[in-house]
Amino acid sequence: MQNNVIIKCYCKNSKYLPFYATEGSAGADIFADIDSDETLKPGERKAIPSGLKIEIPEGYEAQIRPRSGLALKSGITLLNTPGTIDSDYRGEIKVIMINLGTEDFIIKQGDRIAQMIIAPVTKAEFKLELNLNNTERGEGGFGSTGF
């Protein structure tokens, strides 16, 4: 594997340490670490504990993203997607899940509920200008390109 970054982790339960399911996986699976089953009713959202705290090196972030299988099979996705975990955050990662399906969805201890991507961060320098360069699109917003 190229470009390994070391992410220090604390897990209440060591068997829920994030892991890559396959050699080619870009996202590491994140697990639910809950005391009892959680039910998400259609349209309901909850922050689900992972029991995971991480230490990300400066210059990187963790992105928390939905799992495609949960979305397709049950209509379960994540709000605030991708969720950003900054390098200076040391609290528990909680996954904001929502049920967009038509049936109750039960989350059990140890379920894989999200995936985590580690990505480099580019910082910008913001400079105040009175005028910006014109473009063909200009101020056209949603749907303005005709596609």
Side-chain angles (χ1 to χ4, degrees), residues 86-121:
D86 298 307
S87 65
D88 59 351
Y89 177 68
R90 295 295 182 271
E92 178 182 12
I93 295 172
K94 293 186 179 179
V95 178
I96 306 170
M97 302 181 77
I98 187 166
N99 183 351
L100 299 177
T102 57
E103 299 178 12
D104 288 358
F105 182 79
I106 299 172
I107 303 161
K108 297 182 177 301
Q109 171 76 350
D111 281 353
R112 294 182 298 160
I113 57 172
Q115 56 183 326
M116 179 172 59
I117 307 289
I118 304 299
V121 171

Side-chain angles (χ1 to χ4, degrees), residues 58-75:
E58 189 173 335
Y60 290 88
E61 66 162 331
Q63 298 175 6
I64 308 301
R65 299 181 181 182
R67 297 189 69 239
S68 59
L70 289 178
L72 179 63
K73 295 174 187 170
S74 303

Side-chain angles (χ1 to χ4, degrees), residues 107-142:
I107 303 161
K108 297 182 177 301
Q109 171 76 350
D111 281 353
R112 294 182 298 160
I113 57 172
Q115 56 183 326
M116 179 172 59
I117 307 289
I118 304 299
V121 171
T122 301
K123 293 252 181 158
E125 180 179 331
F126 298 95
K127 183 179 173 188
L128 182 61
E129 293 286 337
L130 297 177
N131 295 298
L132 302 178
N133 292 333
N134 290 325
T135 66
E136 183 178 332
R137 181 176 182 178
E139 294 185 17
F142 295 104

Side-chain angles (χ1 to χ4, degrees), residues 12 16 30-41 44-53 64 70 76-79 85 89 91-99 105-115:
K12 287 191 323 188
Y16 299 138
I30 301 292
F31 300 88
D33 193 354
I34 50 182
D35 295 327
S36 60
D37 292 355
E38 288 278 354
T39 300
L40 275 179
K41 297 191 174 301
E44 187 176 28
R45 62 186 177 270
K46 289 184 181 179
I48 304 300
S50 69
L52 175 66
K53 297 178 182 182
I64 308 301
L70 289 178
I76 303 300
T77 192
L78 308 184
L79 294 176
I85 309 298
Y89 177 68
E92 178 182 12
I93 295 172
K94 293 186 179 179
V95 178
I96 306 170
M97 302 181 77
I98 187 166
N99 183 351
F105 182 79
I106 299 172
I107 303 161
K108 297 182 177 301
Q109 171 76 350
D111 281 353
R112 294 182 298 160
I113 57 172
Q115 56 183 326

